[in-house]
Each structure stands twice: as structure tokens, then as C-alpha cells.
Amino acid sequence: MSHIDKESLKALAKLCRIECDEKALEKLLKNLKSILNYMDLLKEVDTEDVPECNHVLEAIQNVMREDKTEETLNRQTFLANSPSHVGGMIRVPPVIKF
């Protein structure tokens, strides 16, 4: 599995819709080979008597806090902290273009 060549990487980049110039492709190939070599090294580790686990931090539990109501900022203070506002509302950049 650790064998990957430039042509395979180009095909993979095309499938993933990733544009890579020649320099970026060389760097990506080098890094990918390094990762795959490390995965091959991990295959050599004996895990016969190691129990399965779903999460590394199984002993941790969610820490819940009590909800508390507190004073809110008045509108003028709230708007004074915003970069742009109009008509008593914060102006944000559009996220949908028609």
C-alpha cells in the first residue's frame, strides 16, 4: 500500500478536484509517502492482546454546568461593539449570492 507514484497522485488529485502545480505535487507525494511508510511501520506492532476501544478518552464524562440567567447588554452598547450596523441591527456580509 505504501507504493504511490506521481501518475497515481495526479489521477487522485483530478478525482478530488485539487489543482496542484508540479512543485506542490512533489511535496504532496513526499508527504504522502512518508505517511504511508509510517502506516506500514504501525502494521508491525503486535496488538494481539490489546482490547478494542471506541474512544481514547473513555474515562472522561461530560461536565455539565447549571444554566444561569444574567443581565444582557443594552442595544446601544451591543451595537457600539459591532463593526457595522444599520437600523438597530448588525450588518453582516451576504452569504448567498443570487
Side-chain angles (χ1 to χ4, degrees):
M1 179 70 189
S2 63
H3 177 71
I4 188 163
D5 59 358
K6 200 177 221 179
E7 294 307 313
S8 299
L9 190 57
K10 282 182 181 179
L12 185 61
K14 184 177 180 181
L15 288 172
C16 295
R17 307 277 195 266
I18 300 172
E19 290 185 30
C20 290
D21 60 1
E22 203 61 33
K23 185 177 178 184
L25 200 62
E26 287 292 331
K27 185 175 180 182
L28 185 59
L29 184 61
K30 179 183 172 193
N31 289 338
L32 191 54
K33 282 184 177 182
S34 173
I35 291 168
L36 292 175
N37 287 336
Y38 184 70
M39 290 296 121
D40 285 341
L41 184 64
L42 286 177
K43 288 179 186 177
E44 296 174 12
V45 176
D46 179 25
T47 58
E48 188 65 36
D49 296 325
V50 179
E52 296 177 8
C53 69
N54 294 327
H55 196 279
V56 236
L57 304 174
E58 288 181 354
I60 292 182
Q61 297 175 355
N62 285 339
V63 178
M64 305 299 269
R65 64 172 175 79
E66 184 180 334
D67 287 335
K68 297 178 186 177
T69 57
E70 297 179 359
E71 289 291 320
T72 58
L73 293 174
N74 65 39
R75 184 176 292 269
Q76 295 305 322
T77 306
F78 184 75
L79 290 174
N81 287 319
S82 70
S84 177
H85 55 87
V86 99
M89 297 178 281
I90 296 176
R91 176 182 287 185
V92 295
V95 291
I96 300 176
K97 294 182 181 180
F98 294 99

